[in-house]
Amino acid sequence: MSSPSVAPSYAAVLRTPHALRTFAAALLGRLSYGVAPLSLVLAVKAATGSYAVAGTVMAVFGLTGVLLSPARAGLIDRHGPRRVLPPMACVYAVLLTVLAFATAWPGAPGLLLAVLASAAGATTPPLGPVMRTLWSTLLSDRPLLQRAYSLDGVAEELLFVTGPLLVGVLMRVTVPSVGLGVSAVLVLVGALSLVASPAVRAYPVAGGRGKAAGAPEGSDGNASASAASAASAVSAASDRPGRRSSRFGLSGLLGGGRGLRQAIAVTAGLGIGLGALDLLVIAFAEEHDAPGTIPWIMAALSAGSAVGGLAYGAVSWRAPIGRRLAALAVALGLVVAATGLAPHPYVLVAGAALGGLFVAPALTTAYLIADESAGPGARTKAGAWVNTAFNAGSSGSTAAAGLLIGHMPLPALFALAAAPVVLSAVATSTTFTTASPAGRPGTGAGGVVDGAPSGSAERA
């Protein structure tokens, strides 16, 4: 557990006991999420020859994951990662492997692919929310936690660079369905390695059940005290009059503050824009007879996001946190609209990199708000609701884009994808506030936590 006297740097985050081991395991599993979506779209397109089927299967995969994301996170909040993640990861890996076999030859039935994708989405392990909760457990110093969240987001964006590039390499030597098998191996090994980390023993379980009050092996006495305080905070929050427990789902969780509700609205807009962008990029590249640029465009978006997230996390922001989120979303939306006017896919690579500069900072801010708006025993679920908003928007817009491609000019579709991003930000920019539960510091109007700037990240 970090000490408040430690300088808030990225190196200090990684020197925290058990942090590097735990983080590396989580990132290995999360690399699967950089490989699976593009692999699934390309594999289904190759097997069926239809953009509409590919978009629909991807939408089903995302939507089932979205709808059950809070339930999966709630299981982890109640029982801890060690009891929930291994069976969940095993089932998910098996289903991805079956999907890989089902899309390995042309003519696979679209209905069968949709059913398999739905089942896989329903069992997707929430490795991102789990890791964010572990950061809050490992680090007691809020400025240091800011750096951890930014590092987490930047590292994951690098995975979203590596993921599409890995898919591109696989496309050169084998069929797209192999990417689904690779994704299955990554998530299984990563999840099992994560739960083997000593840091997981201090995971805050709702109601103080399990070993949430214990500290990881090798940690100092401050870690035990902090974990015990976290467990006490869970109990205190659940007993506070007028505050409903997070176990009651969306209404109970979001009743804690307008800030979280507004963050979810903006994140949903971001998901709509970026979800449609994935399929529009494929159509744009194929229209220009340059399918080899697809992985590079996707990678450029994530590379720009990594650079933006790293810079954002290192700045001491004084502007209100909600208005920062709105400004970042507007900037991203305008860039997405402009990229539709690119004359060639290589120009689109540059546009994607520019737009990416705003992705990680925007999601950073949304996830910090979620962390500050939930008690220790509900942080996984709070982060999952932000994930749910992003993925719901992404899945729905992917299906819509698949139906509209070929019926509207691509520049118009890029502008249409950007509209929800801008509108959600504008609609919430003047009413955004952040509410924190009892006993936890909040950003308030100034976006400052305990005298330090707010900031954190993760790609949903």
Side-chain angles (χ1 to χ4, degrees):
M1 180 67 66
S2 64
S3 167
S5 63
V6 175
S9 67
Y10 294 118
V13 169
L14 295 178
R15 286 195 300 265
T16 302
H18 310 304
L20 183 57
R21 170 184 173 177
T22 308
F23 189 34
L27 289 180
L28 180 63
R30 288 149 78 181
L31 177 58
S32 170
Y33 307 145
V35 174
L38 183 56
S39 294
L40 180 60
V41 171
L42 293 174
V44 174
K45 171 63 168 57
T48 65
S50 170
Y51 279 115
V53 174
T56 300
V57 170
M58 185 61 196
V60 169
F61 175 75
L63 284 174
T64 53
V66 165
L67 294 175
L68 294 178
S69 176
R72 294 193 303 270
L75 286 174
I76 292 175
D77 276 333
R78 288 193 295 273
H79 304 294
R82 287 188 167 176
R83 295 180 62 185
V84 177
L85 277 182
M88 192 180 293
C90 287
V91 173
Y92 178 71
V94 168
L95 290 169
L96 284 183
T97 303
V98 174
L99 263 173
F101 281 107
T103 56
W105 61 87
L111 179 59
L112 172 64
L113 299 181
V115 170
L116 291 172
S118 174
T123 57
T124 305
L127 298 180
V130 168
M131 188 63 229
R132 284 192 299 273
T133 302
L134 285 171
W135 282 128
S136 295
T137 302
L138 288 166
L139 302 169
S140 60
D141 188 34
R142 296 298 292 179
L144 198 58
L145 181 61
Q146 171 188 331
R147 296 299 190 272
Y149 270 37
S150 294
L151 179 63
D152 186 281
V154 168
E156 188 170 65
E157 289 304 331
L158 293 177
L159 298 183
F160 278 87
V161 174
T162 306
L165 291 178
L166 178 57
V167 174
V169 171
L170 292 173
M171 286 175 61
R172 291 180 178 273
V173 299
T174 186
V175 294
S177 58
V178 172
L180 293 171
V182 171
S183 181
V185 173
L186 289 171
V187 75
L188 183 59
V189 174
L192 295 180
S193 300
L194 176 63
V195 298
S197 170
V200 177
R201 297 184 182 181
Y203 199 91
V205 179
R209 293 188 297 273
K211 292 188 176 182
E217 288 181 358
S219 61
D220 57 23
N222 289 335
S224 299
S226 177
S229 297
S232 298
V234 177
S235 178
S238 65
D239 293 337
R240 174 173 287 272
R243 181 183 177 88
R244 296 181 63 187
S245 169
S246 63
R247 67 184 296 180
F248 292 104
L250 179 62
S251 60
L253 178 65
L254 300 190
R258 183 183 300 172
L260 182 55
R261 294 194 296 271
Q262 300 291 356
I264 287 174
V266 174
T267 306
L270 293 173
I272 293 172
L274 294 176
L277 185 63
D278 287 345
L279 208 57
L280 293 179
V281 161
I282 296 174
F284 188 97
E286 293 195 348
E287 184 178 87
H288 289 78
D289 196 26
T293 62
I294 295 172
W296 292 101
I297 297 171
M298 301 293 194
L301 179 69
S302 294
S305 183
V307 172
L310 194 63
Y312 182 81
V315 173
S316 297
W317 297 99
R318 294 295 174 181
I321 189 170
R323 293 185 182 176
R324 292 204 310 266
L325 177 59
L328 291 164
V330 168
L332 174 59
L334 294 178
V335 172
V336 169
T339 54
L341 303 175
H344 190 275
Y346 288 117
V347 179
L348 192 59
V349 171
L354 178 61
L357 292 174
F358 306 104
V359 174
L363 294 174
T364 286
T365 309
Y367 280 112
L368 182 66
I369 292 169
D371 178 77
E372 292 175 346
S373 300
R379 289 176 189 164
T380 309
K381 184 177 285 188
W385 277 115
V386 176
N387 271 341
T388 295
F390 184 93
N391 291 330
S394 177
S395 299
S397 64
T398 300
L403 295 173
L404 292 175
I405 288 174
H407 300 283
M408 292 179 63
L410 281 178
L413 290 176
F414 275 88
L416 188 61
V421 184
V422 175
L423 292 176
S424 65
V426 172
T428 62
S429 61
T430 60
T431 59
F432 207 114
T433 59
T434 299
S436 296
R440 299 199 67 213
T443 59
V448 178
V449 182
D450 287 347
S454 316
S456 63
E458 166 155 347
R459 180 97 173 245

